[in-house]
Amino acid sequence: MEALKEVIGANAVALFDGAAMHTPVAVTEQAMAIVAQLDIDGVVGLGGGSSIGLSKAIAFRTGLPQIVVPTTYSGSEMTAILGETQDGLKITKSDPRIRPETVIYDVELTTTLPVDISVTSGMNAIAHAVEALYAHDTNPVIAALAEEGVRSLAAALPKLAKSPDNISAREQALYGSWLCGICLGSTAMAIHHKLCHTLGGTFDLPHAPTHTALLPHALAYNAGHAPQAIERLKRALNHDNPAVALFDLAQSLGAEMSLKNLGMPEEGIDRATDLAFKNVYPNPRRLEPEGVRQVISDAWNGKRPA
């Protein structure tokens, strides 16, 4: 952050390094106090989803222009979506003011990203593309981008896990995350994202690892109701069962596949199921309490999809 401040020079009025996971409103209010006090006229966000989320939260409240420099594969930089937490709940907003005006990708800034975070961040990006494939408002262009995004990340993650400073693999992963971010910003998300927002906001679970653990089970739930999406994922993953392929990929790269081990209490399964039916997202398969509960339960146990 200090190096960035030096690059910006005299235009750098203040530095705020308190960004937190799930963009807590309380943290945003701290940053907003600095914005008001110093009459700041623009925001530069450097880092992963938490830093970019804070930048977007400030822009949403002020209309200030943003320059964001992502250092992970979250894809948040490509969307007009903001998820904020307050009082144990995560609320999603969508507004043109939220989308950053300028995004700068520098692959060298991702080479020091630890392997475990690289893997789960990449799986998080894949989740955006998966849900874009079966979104109610998807289209052929987005479907093509989503398939390519999944293919690129699924190929890159094993390479960078083996050799974290592999620039070619990092480039491939960043390219894939950009594609998946476009998909996230262009379509409505479904049950997977609804559950991840619920789990993250309510139980303060780590964002990308939660996406990683839940994705195979949400996909398995929808698989029989999204045949075109499944065909594209079969090609992208070179596997007849995409849900199993994603589980095995993440697990083979050391990702934690159990929500229990990520810190979710067992009694939270029922609570999360109830919360999932408030402000329900469109989904290719009808949402039924027992089915949704099974998705959460299987992810809690870290069970490999059938």
Side-chain angles (χ1 to χ4, degrees), residues 20-22 24 85 88 197-207 210 262-263:
M21 187 173 60
H22 305 304
T85 51
H197 285 185
T198 297
L199 296 171
T202 304
F203 305 108
D204 198 31
L205 301 185
H207 183 77
T210 300
L262 291 176

Side-chain angles (χ1 to χ4, degrees), residues 11 38 93:
N11 290 319
L38 299 178
K93 301 178 176 69

Side-chain angles (χ1 to χ4, degrees), residues 103-168:
V103 179
I104 299 174
Y105 290 103
D106 184 345
V107 68
E108 292 186 2
L109 295 178
T110 68
T111 56
T112 56
L113 188 66
V115 168
D116 59 335
I117 299 176
S118 298
V119 168
T120 56
S121 181
M123 294 300 297
N124 180 18
I126 288 174
H128 306 330
V130 167
E131 294 231 295
L133 281 170
Y134 54 59
H136 73 92
D137 55 353
T138 193
N139 60 65
V141 174
I142 290 300
L145 296 181
E147 182 177 342
E148 175 66 5
V150 173
R151 180 184 294 109
S152 297
L153 277 160
L157 292 179
K159 297 175 188 175
L160 65 83
K162 183 177 181 181
S163 180
D165 58 353
N166 184 331
I167 287 291
S168 176

Side-chain angles (χ1 to χ4, degrees), residues 52-114:
I52 294 173
L54 176 58
S55 175
K56 292 162 75 171
I58 294 170
F60 173 66
R61 288 163 170 78
T62 63
L64 291 177
Q66 304 174 75
I67 299 173
V68 301
V69 187
T71 60
T72 69
Y73 308 125
S74 76
S76 173
E77 68 277 0
M78 298 305 298
T79 78
I81 302 168
L82 170 65
E84 298 184 297
T85 51
Q86 188 172 30
D87 300 326
L89 293 175
K90 190 166 187 176
I91 306 298
T92 302
K93 301 178 176 69
S94 181
D95 188 283
R97 293 171 294 178
I98 294 171
R99 191 190 305 273
E101 287 81 2
T102 302
V103 179
I104 299 174
Y105 290 103
D106 184 345
V107 68
E108 292 186 2
L109 295 178
T110 68
T111 56
T112 56
L113 188 66

